[in-house]
Amino acid sequence: MSVYANPGTDGSVVSFKPRYEHWIGGEWTAPAKGQYFENVTPVTGQVFTEIARGTAEDIEAALDAAHAAAPAWTTTSPTERAIILNKIADRIEENLELLAVAETWDNGKAVRETLNADLPLAVDHFRYFAGAIRAQEGTLSQLDNDTTAYHFHEPLGVVGQIIPWNFPILMGVWKLAPALAAGNCVVLKPAEQTPASILVLIELIADLLPPGVVNIVNGFGVECGKPLASNPRIAKVAFTGETTTGRLIMQYASQNIIPVTLELGGKSPNIFFDDVMAHDDAYWDKAQEGFTLFALNQGEVCTCPSRALIQSSIYDRFLDTVAERTSRIVQGNPLDTETMMGAQASNDQLEKILSYIDIGTQEGAKIRIGGARAELGGELEGGFYVQPTIFEGDNSMRIFQEEIFGPVVAVTAFDDYDDAIAIANDTLYGLGAGVWTRNGNTVYRASRAIQAGRVWVNHFHNYPAHSAFGGYKSSGIGRENHLMMLDHYQQTKNVLVSY
Ligand code: NAD
């Protein structure tokens, strides 16, 4: 099948409920205030379901359920939890199409990415942390002849998690898998723009988890996210979203002296040194593809390579080629497996991207291709589509400094290595970066000199579960993925025993 049917229509693999309540204590629970909000699909711009609108009372109910579940769950063995996590991974793997279509309909992203990247990564994250928690060991040291020190890893208890709309299922899984592996109960708030697909997921895996271990409360930021993040009954808050919201989350958490993990925004440089065109065709092809990845997930990726830095000596030839390649990105119905770029996640996001295209033009940046809403017609008429857009300008411009979170790349030239590093680091952010060269010395120096938590060399957008991911500077605090993630969801108990 190359085009999946719209959810709810005959032949579709997923049918959404007309209305979703919160998921609390292992069952659907009506919102305390009885209010719901409309959920729109970016594919067509139409409302397809209603979602419970959470408030502080719903957060308290979810925390009651989580605290009731915690004594039993926090004392399960790593092996018991690993078995459950592996079963969750299997269940996702058995239902890839259902979840992919649900995610695409909710978020607008191309279904082939959800099928080939987001969901396999979600499966792998559950399996990785299932293995990691069984492999984790405490430490023991002999302090003197009479005294021994033991270090135990203990779960934090009940944690709060708040996620954004760009990878609704994957961002949820990045948070849930390590928290559950470490033995915590969770209250999670999805983004109000994309609440439905994670509810499809929780219903799918409901029988695998004891009631109350995972609770999902939907709603808006201040109304529902704040009562969670500022709640004295959580032992940690893990947040992914905008840097401005991250600052607020830190303020809330400081009132309760609890740890935060913040995965925030980015303005990632993708640096192409001049030898990139001098090697074999396969490498050159890979580098061109690496440039076009600014449009992956419609540019709605925190590590989007949204600034391309090209060495002056190859600038014109390089840009001609990659602009032509960008023009071949297939836009269309996100449910079509041939489609490479789908819809932006919301109308607000569409408007924001278009306003940045205006800002770039007013600042004097030159549009190389794109620069407008993509009019796809037919049933996609009301959907939220933008053309992949290449701007040329300089790094002081707002389109180079501010996160657009759309399929817009700002391109500039650099003279030499020092110039490239100076431009790359001239940003508030420090999340990701790309370096393209086969000069080993440049690889080493650049990857150490760039101020970012993740540097890809000769590729981009790879997110293995066993590689630490997180930001320098205003891109965040803490890391996700990797074994070190377990430390973020545990505390260390030190016991000194004297004989
Ligand atoms: P956002 O900050 O607007 O919202 C994120 C979440 O926070 C949503 O669930 C929202 O309801 C909630 N929220 C908003 N205000 C709140 C408040 N006052 N208190 C508590 N919760 C509140 O971000 P967004 O627009 O949904 O997501 C896009 C951003 O996420 C981009 O900046 C992107 O770079 C970032 N992001 C970062 C990573 C990463 O790993 N670093 C990954 C994905 C997205």
Side-chain angles (χ1 to χ4, degrees), residues 392-439:
E392 294 176 80
D394 73 73
N395 200 54
S396 63
M397 294 174 169
R398 284 182 64 191
I399 55 166
F400 282 79
Q401 291 293 329
E402 297 175 19
E403 192 178 39
I404 300 173
F405 224 54
V408 180
V409 62
V411 182
T412 196
F414 66 89
D415 295 328
D416 54 20
Y417 171 86
D418 289 339
D419 196 23
I421 300 302
I423 297 171
N425 287 337
D426 179 18
T427 167
L428 278 177
Y429 297 109
L431 196 55
V435 175
W436 297 82
T437 177
R438 280 187 167 173
N439 180 324

Side-chain angles (χ1 to χ4, degrees), residues 163 165-166 189 192 239 241-242 245 252 263-264 302 403:
I163 57 172
W165 42 259
N166 57 340
K189 192 198 88 62
E192 55 270 36
F239 171 80
E242 285 187 4
T245 318
Y252 306 153
E263 297 292 349
L264 308 175
C302 48
E403 192 178 39

Side-chain angles (χ1 to χ4, degrees), residues 15-309:
S15 211
F16 288 103
K17 297 176 196 297
R19 171 178 268 198
Y20 283 91
E21 297 177 325
H22 303 305
W23 182 259
I24 296 178
E27 53 191 35
W28 295 115
T29 307
K33 290 204 185 328
Q35 291 180 342
Y36 292 80
F37 62 97
E38 293 182 330
N39 190 20
V40 168
T41 173
V43 179
T44 63
Q46 287 163 351
V47 175
F48 69 100
T49 183
E50 286 188 335
I51 306 287
R53 181 168 176 160
T55 55
E57 289 103 308
D58 303 308
I59 293 293
E60 293 302 335
L63 286 169
D64 288 346
H67 278 278
W73 180 251
T74 55
T75 50
T76 49
S77 70
T79 307
E80 287 172 88
R81 296 197 297 274
I83 289 169
I84 292 178
L85 263 57
N86 277 321
K87 285 184 180 166
I88 293 174
D90 294 344
R91 188 70 61 80
I92 294 174
E93 202 166 47
E94 288 154 13
N95 291 278
L96 286 185
E97 287 190 320
L98 178 145
L99 290 168
V101 173
E103 182 82 327
T104 286
W105 196 248
D106 202 14
N107 164 280
K109 65 177 63 199
V111 75
R112 76 186 209 167
E113 275 178 21
T114 327
L115 276 172
N116 297 322
D118 302 24
L119 293 174
L121 278 174
V123 170
D124 192 48
H125 273 72
F126 274 114
R127 290 191 179 138
Y128 174 77
F129 282 106
I133 196 62
R134 293 187 69 189
Q136 192 181 37
E137 292 174 354
T139 61
L140 187 149
S141 49
Q142 188 74 28
L143 300 187
D144 54 45
N145 280 342
D146 289 331
T147 316
T148 304
Y150 297 89
H151 292 97
F152 295 97
H153 305 288
E154 294 185 349
L156 296 173
V158 173
V159 299
Q161 302 185 327
I162 298 178
I163 57 172
W165 42 259
N166 57 340
F167 292 89
I169 291 182
L170 188 60
M171 289 299 103
V173 169
W174 273 24
K175 299 235 176 309
L176 288 173
L180 296 177
N184 300 283
C185 294
V186 176
V187 176
L188 182 144
K189 192 198 88 62
E192 55 270 36
Q193 297 86 348
T194 54
S197 55
I198 199 151
L199 295 173
V200 173
L201 172 65
I202 196 70
E203 191 167 39
L204 192 67
I205 62 172
D207 61 307
L208 302 176
L209 285 164
V213 170
V214 174
N215 307 277
I216 299 185
V217 181
N218 271 296
F220 294 83
V222 173
E223 200 174 62
C224 183
K226 183 176 177 185
L228 174 60
S230 59
N231 204 295
R233 291 205 289 159
I234 57 170
K236 173 200 171 76
V237 56
F239 171 80
T240 299
E242 285 187 4
T243 295
T244 45
T245 318
R247 286 199 183 93
L248 293 173
I249 300 288
M250 266 189 103
Q251 286 173 18
Y252 306 153
S254 71
Q255 298 304 308
N256 299 315
I257 324 258
I258 57 167
V260 292
T261 309
L262 300 177
E263 297 292 349
L264 308 175
K267 200 71 193 174
S268 302
N270 206 7
I271 309 173
F272 298 89
F273 287 95
D274 60 4
D275 69 306
V276 83
M277 297 180 83
H279 297 287
D280 51 284
D281 287 350
Y283 178 67
W284 172 219
D285 190 62
K286 194 175 168 193
Q288 290 175 59
E289 182 65 19
F291 175 94
T292 64
L293 290 178
F294 74 89
L296 184 100
N297 206 49
Q298 300 70 242
E300 293 170 347
V301 190
C302 48
T303 44
C304 175
S306 52
R307 292 186 296 147
L309 281 50

